[in-house]
mmCIF file of all heavy atoms in Angstrom:
data_model
loop_
_atom_site.group_PDB
_atom_site.id
_atom_site.type_symbol
_atom_site.label_atom_id
_atom_site.label_comp_id
_atom_site.label_asym_id
_atom_site.label_seq_id
_atom_site.Cartn_x
_atom_site.Cartn_y
_atom_site.Cartn_z
ATOM 1 N N MET A 12 5.092 -3.744 3.761
ATOM 2 C CA MET A 12 3.856 -3.235 4.373
ATOM 3 C C MET A 12 2.881 -2.672 3.350
ATOM 4 O O MET A 12 1.665 -2.860 3.479
ATOM 5 C CB MET A 12 4.213 -2.163 5.413
ATOM 6 C CG MET A 12 3.199 -2.036 6.489
ATOM 7 S SD MET A 12 2.986 -3.635 7.330
ATOM 8 C CE MET A 12 1.304 -3.522 7.805
ATOM 9 N N PRO A 73 11.805 5.742 6.337
ATOM 10 C CA PRO A 73 12.064 7.154 6.651
ATOM 11 C C PRO A 73 13.150 7.781 5.780
ATOM 12 O O PRO A 73 13.003 8.908 5.294
ATOM 13 C CB PRO A 73 12.486 7.125 8.118
ATOM 14 C CG PRO A 73 11.915 5.874 8.672
ATOM 15 C CD PRO A 73 11.804 4.890 7.548
ATOM 16 N N ILE A 96 2.978 5.892 6.929
ATOM 17 C CA ILE A 96 2.791 4.721 7.817
ATOM 18 C C ILE A 96 4.004 4.512 8.719
ATOM 19 O O ILE A 96 4.082 3.544 9.452
ATOM 20 C CB ILE A 96 2.493 3.417 7.024
ATOM 21 C CG1 ILE A 96 3.716 2.960 6.210
ATOM 22 C CG2 ILE A 96 1.269 3.559 6.150
ATOM 23 C CD1 ILE A 96 3.636 1.474 5.818
ATOM 24 N N THR A 97 4.954 5.452 8.647
ATOM 25 C CA THR A 97 6.159 5.248 9.450
ATOM 26 C C THR A 97 6.175 6.199 10.639
ATOM 27 O O THR A 97 5.593 7.279 10.581
ATOM 28 C CB THR A 97 7.418 5.406 8.566
ATOM 29 O OG1 THR A 97 8.514 4.835 9.249
ATOM 30 C CG2 THR A 97 7.727 6.841 8.221
ATOM 31 N N SER A 98 6.831 5.807 11.732
ATOM 32 C CA SER A 98 6.769 6.645 12.935
ATOM 33 C C SER A 98 7.798 7.775 12.999
ATOM 34 O O SER A 98 7.491 8.827 13.554
ATOM 35 C CB SER A 98 6.838 5.780 14.191
ATOM 36 O OG SER A 98 8.042 5.061 14.204
ATOM 37 N N PRO A 99 9.016 7.630 12.454
ATOM 38 C CA PRO A 99 10.000 8.699 12.695
ATOM 39 C C PRO A 99 9.784 10.003 11.930
ATOM 40 O O PRO A 99 10.475 10.979 12.211
ATOM 41 C CB PRO A 99 11.329 8.051 12.264
ATOM 42 C CG PRO A 99 11.073 6.604 12.193
ATOM 43 C CD PRO A 99 9.645 6.471 11.802
ATOM 44 N N VAL A 117 0.061 4.020 11.695
ATOM 45 C CA VAL A 117 1.065 2.960 11.794
ATOM 46 C C VAL A 117 0.329 1.624 11.823
ATOM 47 O O VAL A 117 -0.391 1.316 12.775
ATOM 48 C CB VAL A 117 1.952 3.110 13.051
ATOM 49 C CG1 VAL A 117 2.985 1.991 13.105
ATOM 50 C CG2 VAL A 117 2.646 4.463 13.051
ATOM 51 N N PRO A 118 0.481 0.849 10.762
ATOM 52 C CA PRO A 118 -0.232 -0.428 10.698
ATOM 53 C C PRO A 118 0.539 -1.526 11.426
ATOM 54 O O PRO A 118 1.533 -1.258 12.111
ATOM 55 C CB PRO A 118 -0.296 -0.697 9.194
ATOM 56 C CG PRO A 118 0.889 0.003 8.624
ATOM 57 C CD PRO A 118 1.313 1.084 9.576
ATOM 58 N N SER A 119 0.073 -2.737 11.262
ATOM 59 C CA SER A 119 0.715 -3.896 11.888
ATOM 60 C C SER A 119 0.549 -5.071 10.939
ATOM 61 O O SER A 119 -0.443 -5.145 10.205
ATOM 62 C CB SER A 119 0.012 -4.198 13.221
ATOM 63 O OG SER A 119 0.303 -5.513 13.641
ATOM 64 N N ARG A 164 5.446 5.928 19.728
ATOM 65 C CA ARG A 164 6.557 4.979 19.570
ATOM 66 C C ARG A 164 6.331 3.707 20.385
ATOM 67 O O ARG A 164 6.411 2.613 19.868
ATOM 68 C CB ARG A 164 7.876 5.664 19.955
ATOM 69 C CG ARG A 164 9.112 4.878 19.706
ATOM 70 C CD ARG A 164 9.300 4.455 18.269
ATOM 71 N NE ARG A 164 9.116 3.018 18.109
ATOM 72 C CZ ARG A 164 8.781 2.424 16.976
ATOM 73 N NH1 ARG A 164 8.587 3.116 15.875
ATOM 74 N NH2 ARG A 164 8.628 1.133 16.921
ATOM 75 N N SER A 167 3.562 1.630 19.043
ATOM 76 C CA SER A 167 3.965 0.913 17.839
ATOM 77 C C SER A 167 4.928 -0.240 18.180
ATOM 78 O O SER A 167 4.920 -1.282 17.523
ATOM 79 C CB SER A 167 4.590 1.924 16.881
ATOM 80 O OG SER A 167 5.381 1.299 15.951
ATOM 81 N N ASP A 168 5.738 -0.050 19.246
ATOM 82 C CA ASP A 168 6.596 -1.161 19.700
ATOM 83 C C ASP A 168 5.729 -2.364 20.047
ATOM 84 O O ASP A 168 6.098 -3.518 19.795
ATOM 85 C CB ASP A 168 7.382 -0.753 20.960
ATOM 86 C CG ASP A 168 8.535 0.189 20.641
ATOM 87 O OD1 ASP A 168 8.920 0.280 19.469
ATOM 88 O OD2 ASP A 168 9.034 0.830 21.586
ATOM 89 N N THR A 170 2.278 -2.843 19.098
ATOM 90 C CA THR A 170 1.361 -3.354 18.061
ATOM 91 C C THR A 170 2.063 -3.767 16.763
ATOM 92 O O THR A 170 1.669 -4.733 16.129
ATOM 93 C CB THR A 170 0.286 -2.301 17.718
ATOM 94 O OG1 THR A 170 0.924 -1.127 17.198
ATOM 95 C CG2 THR A 170 -0.538 -1.935 18.930
ATOM 96 N N SER A 171 3.094 -3.007 16.363
ATOM 97 C CA SER A 171 3.739 -3.301 15.075
ATOM 98 C C SER A 171 4.963 -4.182 15.228
ATOM 99 O O SER A 171 5.173 -5.091 14.434
ATOM 100 C CB SER A 171 4.167 -2.006 14.373
ATOM 101 O OG SER A 171 3.095 -1.131 14.281
ATOM 102 N N CYS A 172 5.790 -3.883 16.248
ATOM 103 C CA CYS A 172 6.990 -4.698 16.461
ATOM 104 C C CYS A 172 6.640 -5.944 17.273
ATOM 105 O O CYS A 172 7.322 -6.968 17.171
ATOM 106 C CB CYS A 172 8.059 -3.910 17.207
ATOM 107 S SG CYS A 172 8.480 -2.335 16.466
ATOM 108 N N GLY A 173 5.586 -5.844 18.088
ATOM 109 C CA GLY A 173 5.197 -6.933 18.996
ATOM 110 C C GLY A 173 5.135 -8.309 18.343
ATOM 111 O O GLY A 173 5.671 -9.276 18.903
ATOM 112 N N LYS A 260 16.796 3.875 18.466
ATOM 113 C CA LYS A 260 16.846 3.745 16.999
ATOM 114 C C LYS A 260 15.880 4.742 16.354
ATOM 115 O O LYS A 260 16.183 5.341 15.315
ATOM 116 C CB LYS A 260 16.479 2.298 16.600
ATOM 117 C CG LYS A 260 16.414 2.045 15.119
ATOM 118 C CD LYS A 260 17.805 2.092 14.479
ATOM 119 C CE LYS A 260 17.790 1.652 13.030
ATOM 120 N NZ LYS A 260 17.762 2.730 12.077
ATOM 121 N N ASP A 264 16.751 7.604 13.685
ATOM 122 C CA ASP A 264 16.052 7.754 12.394
ATOM 123 C C ASP A 264 15.531 9.181 12.230
ATOM 124 O O ASP A 264 15.628 9.771 11.155
ATOM 125 C CB ASP A 264 14.871 6.774 12.291
ATOM 126 C CG ASP A 264 15.331 5.358 11.972
ATOM 127 O OD1 ASP A 264 16.549 5.152 11.828
ATOM 128 O OD2 ASP A 264 14.469 4.455 11.885
HETATM 129 O O1 LIG B 302 11.015 -2.410 12.208
HETATM 130 C C1 LIG B 302 10.557 -1.318 11.874
HETATM 131 O O2 LIG B 302 11.293 -0.350 11.673
HETATM 132 C C2 LIG B 302 9.080 -1.111 11.705
HETATM 133 C C3 LIG B 302 8.471 -0.219 12.734
HETATM 134 C C4 LIG B 302 7.244 -0.881 13.141
HETATM 135 C C5 LIG B 302 7.332 -2.165 12.552
HETATM 136 N N1 LIG B 302 8.325 -2.282 11.789
#
Side-chain angles (χ1 to χ4, degrees):
M12 207 58 211
I96 68 160
T97 197
S98 60
V117 180
S119 162
R164 186 58 250 156
S167 160
D168 285 343
T170 62
S171 307
C172 307
K260 177 70 172 98
D264 283 0

